[in-house]
Amino acid sequence: MIPARTIFRALPVSGRTFMRTYATAASTAPPVQLFGVDGTYASALYTAAAKNSSLDATSKALTYLKTLLDKDADISGILSNPALSASDKKIVVETLSKSVSVPTVANLLAVLAENNRLGLLSEVIEKFGTLMSAYNGEVEATITSAAPLDSKILSRIESAISKSQFVGAGKKLKVSNKVNPDILGGLIVEVGDRTVDLSVSSKISRLNALINEAV
């Protein structure tokens, strides 16, 4: 994993400079610990943005980029292309940077390109969203189902989770529904770092395990 302190190089912004060292002050430290390479980039970005008082601007810029990636599969394909030349990477970074005009995001794109990690952009954006939710006192809950849930069922699940021990006092619950036909039925409920697997596929797996043990 790349150490966070090595991710952001010096970047002049309005007479100030983002230093290479990873800030350790509590006011700029990520509110929750993330894992994986994408988590490392997201955490370093959060610290750089917090240090420059541009968390909201950075978040809005990343949301805009995520919309572009979701709408245009060609852009995602280009970013994920391992054979992208240095000159092509430069063009991609410059084009995306100009579309948002936020220095922290421009620097992130440049570092991802330099390390051949542009394909991780969507994942980094998602992890940064997790940090911003924690910063804003939100608790994220992801409900995975085999088919989209209607609003009434989703509302009932949201109400049940909000009253549970998973959501602390004064916290705001943010619920999203993810569809994955592979779970066959039932639900997988993820609240923060906790997971409750009530899917049919999980039950079948446990049943198969019991059968194999009995044979």
Side-chain angles (χ1 to χ4, degrees):
M1 182 180 295
I2 303 171
R5 63 170 59 90
T6 68
I7 291 179
F8 284 94
R9 303 165 298 174
L11 176 67
V13 182
S14 304
R16 297 182 181 181
T17 303
F18 283 122
M19 302 305 294
R20 196 179 183 85
T21 54
Y22 183 87
T24 57
S27 60
T28 61
V32 294
Q33 184 178 6
L34 299 179
F35 301 95
V37 176
D38 51 355
T40 298
Y41 282 109
S43 296
L45 176 61
Y46 179 94
T47 296
K51 186 177 180 181
N52 197 45
S53 301
S54 61
L55 281 173
D56 288 340
T58 298
S59 180
K60 289 178 181 178
L62 292 180
T63 298
Y64 175 76
L65 289 181
K66 185 65 168 63
T67 300
L68 286 181
L69 296 177
D70 290 342
K71 286 185 177 180
D72 194 334
D74 290 339
I75 296 179
S76 296
I78 292 173
L79 295 178
S80 301
N81 185 357
L84 204 64
S85 67
S87 59
D88 287 339
K89 288 178 185 176
K90 183 178 179 181
I91 293 173
V92 170
V93 169
E94 289 179 349
T95 301
L96 292 178
S97 296
K98 288 179 181 178
S99 70
V100 294
S101 299
V102 176
T104 49
V105 176
N107 201 31
L108 168 70
L109 293 170
V111 175
L112 288 175
E114 181 180 328
N115 295 324
N116 294 316
R117 299 287 191 179
L118 280 173
L120 283 178
L121 181 57
S122 288
E123 287 83 354
V124 173
I125 293 174
E126 183 177 346
K127 288 294 181 69
F128 187 84
T130 298
L131 293 176
M132 287 302 294
S133 291
Y135 170 76
N136 290 319
E138 297 175 344
V139 176
E140 291 190 341
T142 301
I143 315 299
T144 302
S145 54
L149 299 175
D150 64 44
S151 58
K152 290 184 179 180
I153 293 178
L154 197 59
S155 179
R156 288 173 61 187
I157 295 174
E158 180 177 356
S159 177
I161 295 175
S162 64
K163 297 175 183 177
S164 72
Q165 60 180 349
F166 293 162
V167 182
K171 298 290 185 179
K172 295 177 289 185
L173 185 62
K174 183 179 179 182
V175 177
S176 61
N177 180 204
K178 182 185 296 184
V179 177
N180 181 6
D182 291 340
I183 72 170
L184 303 178
L187 299 171
I188 297 177
V189 181
E190 298 171 89
V191 184
D193 59 354
R194 305 181 184 183
T195 300
V196 178
D197 191 344
L198 303 174
S199 65
V200 172
S201 61
S202 176
K203 294 178 181 178
I204 292 175
S205 295
R206 289 197 294 269
L207 178 59
N208 287 336
L210 288 173
I211 293 174
N212 290 332
E213 290 178 0
V215 174

